[in-house]
């Protein structure tokens, strides 16, 4: 939000016609209107992804508290995917906003219908979502400690651990555990390709964890059924 959208080269502040997702990029030929510097395709790709996720949120959950959670989760995780992939950073501000928004969403889900809102159930839902978030955070921290001792170096960033708090609140504790395994499965082939392209063994886990979380949240799988498959 601060500073407002601007060209990172000439600091030109973008006007309303330069802020239309996808179309502004196309109309300007993929260049800054002021200094003509080429704009990265990243912006357009993730604008399309965010738009798709917003549409999917409504089609999947309708006008509901779950839709609100899907919109919040999509917005936060898309930013995390970009930030962690490009800069190896998951900002604390996103984690704080995520906890607040998912907390509001879980509170609304627990309350049920707006006409006959159940305050006690809403508070109970919020409480257990926080417990699930804290439990997921502790689990991820335990995995980090084990990895650090096993590899004799830092095996995981602090951002991934804090992100698990948000994921635990959104998915609940059992499904949050499964998200780690799903993320690992997604990460394996992609990590191999990225290591060859970047010639580095440092691959951020946040983007894969975010993708796994979105997948599980939108599919809304029954975690008991999933565990039965692996059993």
């Amino acid at each position: 939000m601060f500073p407002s959208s601007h060209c990172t080269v000439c600091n030109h502040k973008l006007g309303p016609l330069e802020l239309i997702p996808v179309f502004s990029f196309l109309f300007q030929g993929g260049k800054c209107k002021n200094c003509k510097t080429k704009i990265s395709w990243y912006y357009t790709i993730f604008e399309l992804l965010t738009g798709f996720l917003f549409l999917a949120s409504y089609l999947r959950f309708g006008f509901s508290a779950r839709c609100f959670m899907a919109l919040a989760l999509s917005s936060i995780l898309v930013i995390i995917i970009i930030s962690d992939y490009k800069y190896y950073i998951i900002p604390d501000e996103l984690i704080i906003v995520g906890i607040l928004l998912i907390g509001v969403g879980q509170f609304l889900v627990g309350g049920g219908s707006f006409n006959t809102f159940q305050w006690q159930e809403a508070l109970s839902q919020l409480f257990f979502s926080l417990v699930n978030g804290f439990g997921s955070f502790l689990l991820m921290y335990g995995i980090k400690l084990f990895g650090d001792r096993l590899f004799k170096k830092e095996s995981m960033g602090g951002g991934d651990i804090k992100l698990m708090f948000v994921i635990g609140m959104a998915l609940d504790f059992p499904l949050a555990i499964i998200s780690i395994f799903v993320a690992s499965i997604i990460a394996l082939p992609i990590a191999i390709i990225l290591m060859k392209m970047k010639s580095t063994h440092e691959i951020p886990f946040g983007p894969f964890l975010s993708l796994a979380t979105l997948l599980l949240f939108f599919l809304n799988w029954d975690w008991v059924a999933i565990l039965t498959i692996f059993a």
Side-chain angles (χ1 to χ4, degrees), residues 76 80 89-100 162 166:
I76 293 165
I80 287 175
I89 295 173
I90 298 179
D92 289 340
E93 293 87 347
L94 286 175
I95 302 299
I96 295 171
V97 170
I99 291 172
L100 292 174
K162 289 178 279 190
V166 178

Side-chain angles (χ1 to χ4, degrees), residues 25 36 43 76 117 142 192:
F25 180 88
K36 307 303 179 182
Y43 293 97
I76 293 165
F117 195 80
I192 293 173

Side-chain angles (χ1 to χ4, degrees), residues 1-7 11-14 19:
M1 295 175 63
F2 304 101
S4 58
S5 298
H6 61 281
C7 174
N11 289 322
H12 165 66
K13 184 178 179 180
L14 304 187
L19 289 170

Side-chain angles (χ1 to χ4, degrees), residues 20-210:
I20 304 172
V22 182
F23 291 103
S24 292
F25 180 88
L26 296 176
F27 292 153
Q28 293 170 202
K31 298 179 181 179
C32 171
K33 185 178 180 181
N34 185 59
C35 68
K36 307 303 179 182
T37 300
K38 287 187 177 181
I39 302 171
S40 173
W41 276 92
Y42 275 113
Y43 293 97
T44 303
I45 292 171
F46 284 100
E47 284 172 351
L48 285 170
L49 175 61
T50 305
F52 170 78
L53 289 172
F54 271 44
L55 177 61
S57 298
Y58 176 74
L59 294 177
R60 178 69 180 84
F61 302 109
F63 185 71
S64 65
R66 290 284 291 180
C67 179
F68 170 81
M69 287 179 61
L71 294 174
L73 201 61
S74 298
S75 301
I76 293 165
L77 293 182
V78 165
I79 298 173
I80 287 175
I81 289 172
I82 302 169
S83 178
D84 203 21
Y85 174 72
K86 287 183 68 68
Y87 308 110
Y88 295 89
I89 295 173
I90 298 179
D92 289 340
E93 293 87 347
L94 286 175
I95 302 299
I96 295 171
V97 170
I99 291 172
L100 292 174
L101 291 180
I102 299 303
V104 171
Q106 290 286 19
F107 179 80
L108 294 175
V109 168
S113 172
F114 290 107
N115 296 326
T116 56
F117 195 80
Q118 304 294 320
W119 291 95
Q120 186 173 353
E121 285 77 3
L123 290 172
S124 177
Q125 180 82 4
L126 174 59
F127 172 76
F128 282 110
S129 72
L130 290 170
V131 171
N132 286 325
F134 187 64
S136 301
F137 170 86
L138 289 179
L139 172 68
M140 203 63 160
Y141 185 66
I143 294 174
K144 170 188 164 50
L145 293 178
F146 176 76
D148 289 352
R149 177 165 295 187
L150 180 64
F151 299 111
K152 300 294 189 294
K153 63 178 182 179
E154 189 176 47
S155 59
M156 187 182 301
D160 297 327
I161 301 170
K162 289 178 279 190
L163 175 59
M164 276 306 298
F165 198 111
V166 178
I167 294 173
M169 288 185 66
L171 297 181
D172 293 335
F173 186 66
L175 204 57
I177 299 174
I178 296 172
S179 72
I180 300 174
F181 291 98
V182 174
S184 301
I185 293 172
I186 297 173
L188 182 59
I190 299 176
I192 293 173
I193 296 172
L194 289 178
M195 282 191 291
K196 289 184 177 180
M197 291 174 58
K198 290 187 170 184
S199 300
T200 179
H201 294 286
E202 294 184 9
I203 304 297
F205 191 56
F208 305 114
L209 203 53
S210 299

